[in-house]
Amino acid sequence: MHLTSTDRLFVLTGAGISAESGLATFRGSGGLWSGHRVEDVATPEAWQANPAFVWNFYSMRRRNALAAEPNAAHIALAHIEQQLGDRFYLCTQNVDDLHERAGSHRIHHMHGSLFQSRCVRCNQPFPDQSFYDDAENLPTCSQCSAPIRPHIVWFGEIPLDMDTIYDQLDRSTILLVVGTSGSVYPAAGLVHIANQRGIRTIYIGPEEPTNAEAFEQIILGSATQALPTLFETQ
Ligand code: BJW
Ligand code: ZN
């Protein structure tokens, strides 16, 4: 990809970029979380009905993410950030920390972070790498005794800091989307906004996303194959 000195790159990543680090995707090839449909576990209703089940799921996710390592695609994005500085912005739907561990700094987790929790009443996120597998010993707030929940954006909740996302997209000249099925909004709608603004749009993944028709260019391939080469040829 050729980038000029005035180009600004907005990257949106999804579960597919972490697939080659061994973290299962939700949908698409290799999708489905250990028999759980994400719609049954990542909702405020699931939390109200069975917080132990939800904590069990996110404890498993924490274990898997702690055991995983960043792959060549995460590293390629960290390298391009080093070259572009503030002309680069990474918005990820992923809650794992593999982008940070690869060296990304200008990153926003729109669906929250696996290694943060928050009190349902105080609402202040804090770092948390614990596993809560024991239904009798779920965490509660030391200040107000209300339940502690994962700092994750579930269906029906508003993704974090959408204003900054829209602002950064407005300022960009290229939208590069990697490894997302394009089925969850508002993330899946960013490509439509980009089209309205005349921003160039590129998708990378092994299969076409649901919103494929909105992209100018689709590169079919895995993230670790396609991303490092994309930047090498600039
Ligand atoms: C590879 C690969 C490799 C494989 N290399 N690629 C009806 C119509 C429209 C919208 C709605 C509707 N009804 C309800 C809604 C709204 C709802 C929604 O979109 N639902 C849809 C299911 C229809 N959205 C919400 O509720 C959101 N909030 C909201 O809309 O608030 C109102 C609002 C409106 C406007 C502005 C602002 C606010 C909240 C969504 C929260 C999503 N949460 C989850 C779970 C929590 C996080 C977690 O536990 O991890 O986030 S759901 C789950 O899906 C997770 C993901 O971040 C998200 C997206 O998944 P992703 O990343 O796309 O993964 P997959 O598995 O779907 O796809 C993987 C892809 O990788 C595949 O394409 C593979 O091909 C590819 N791949 N190997 C590259 N090696
Ligand atoms: Zn509290």
Side-chain angles (χ1 to χ4, degrees), residues 13-20 24-33 38-39 41-42 57-58 61 71 92-96 110-112 114 152-159 162 166 178-188 203-210 221-224:
T13 61
I17 197 166
S18 295
E20 291 166 274
T25 60
F26 300 96
R27 314 167 189 85
S29 47
L32 200 65
W33 266 103
V38 67
E39 290 80 3
V41 72
F57 175 71
Y58 283 101
R61 302 274 306 280
N71 63 45
T92 185
Q93 296 169 84
N94 298 347
V95 298
D96 67 57
M110 68 182 292
H111 291 163
L114 195 49
I152 300 280
V153 178
W154 291 324
F155 284 111
E157 297 181 329
I158 297 184
M162 287 305 301
Y166 292 137
V178 186
T180 172
S181 55
S183 53
V184 176
Y185 287 81
Y203 179 81
I204 290 179
E207 56 203 354
E208 289 200 344
T210 312
S222 85
T224 64

Side-chain angles (χ1 to χ4, degrees), residues 151-191:
H151 184 48
I152 300 280
V153 178
W154 291 324
F155 284 111
E157 297 181 329
I158 297 184
L160 305 175
D161 207 359
M162 287 305 301
D163 286 349
T164 304
I165 294 173
Y166 292 137
D167 184 53
Q168 288 288 337
L169 184 61
D170 267 349
R171 299 170 66 200
S172 68
T173 58
I174 302 172
L175 169 66
L176 172 65
V177 179
V178 186
T180 172
S181 55
S183 53
V184 176
Y185 287 81
L190 295 182
V191 65

Side-chain angles (χ1 to χ4, degrees), residues 6 9 69 79 82 98 104 125 147 154 170 174 189 191 198 211 214 230:
T6 53
L9 182 62
E69 295 295 336
H79 283 165
Q82 275 172 6
L98 296 180
S104 286
W154 291 324
D170 267 349
I174 302 172
V191 65
N211 54 0
L230 188 74

Side-chain angles (χ1 to χ4, degrees), residues 81-96:
E81 177 185 336
Q82 275 172 6
Q83 291 168 37
L84 295 184
D86 67 3
R87 292 188 290 119
F88 176 92
Y89 183 75
L90 173 56
C91 176
T92 185
Q93 296 169 84
N94 298 347
V95 298
D96 67 57

